[in-house]
Amino acid sequence: MRCGSPTSSDMQRPGDCVRVDPAELGRVLRRLRRARRLSIEDLALRADLHPTYISSIERGKRNPSCGKLSDLALALGVPLSALMQDAEREARVMRIAQSIERSIANAGDG
């Protein structure tokens, strides 16, 4: 197998796919920014974006393009794929939490 080619363990099954909401992506972006002790303004300078745009992404109000996400990932020093994997993990956690909440609510209805 060539270097950099995905292996079967790297590839997800179709049932493993999850939609990432802007709010989930925003939480990941904020977590990464804070872990690097960057202010929104610092990240904005590094990514050549406006601070209010980054703030709106972090709050889940904006859905950035792939190019903007790439700029942000580069400014944070992480691969774009890692940023998206973190966002997918966040989405999975949120879906599990929502499922548990529904189960609890339904148990109370009976």
Side-chain angles (χ1 to χ4, degrees), residues 5-68:
S5 297
T7 64
S8 60
S9 63
D10 293 334
M11 296 169 44
Q12 294 181 339
R13 296 184 313 271
D16 292 340
C17 296
V18 62
R19 182 182 184 280
V20 176
D21 290 333
E24 293 152 352
L25 178 62
R27 281 192 292 273
V28 168
L29 183 63
R30 179 177 287 138
R31 189 169 39 245
L32 289 170
R33 177 180 59 78
R34 287 180 173 171
R36 285 153 182 76
R37 299 184 188 275
L38 293 172
S39 68
I40 289 177
E41 291 78 12
D42 293 335
L43 181 57
L45 284 172
R46 289 180 181 203
D48 194 30
L49 297 170
H50 198 277
T52 56
Y53 182 70
I54 292 174
S55 175
S56 64
I57 294 170
E58 288 187 357
R59 290 180 288 116
K61 303 297 181 192
R62 298 292 299 259
N63 198 2
S65 68
C66 189
K68 300 291 185 200

Side-chain angles (χ1 to χ4, degrees), residues 95-110:
R95 299 309 173 275
I96 291 167
Q98 291 166 351
S99 176
I100 291 169
E101 287 174 358
R102 279 192 301 273
S103 295
I104 292 170
N106 291 338
D109 290 343

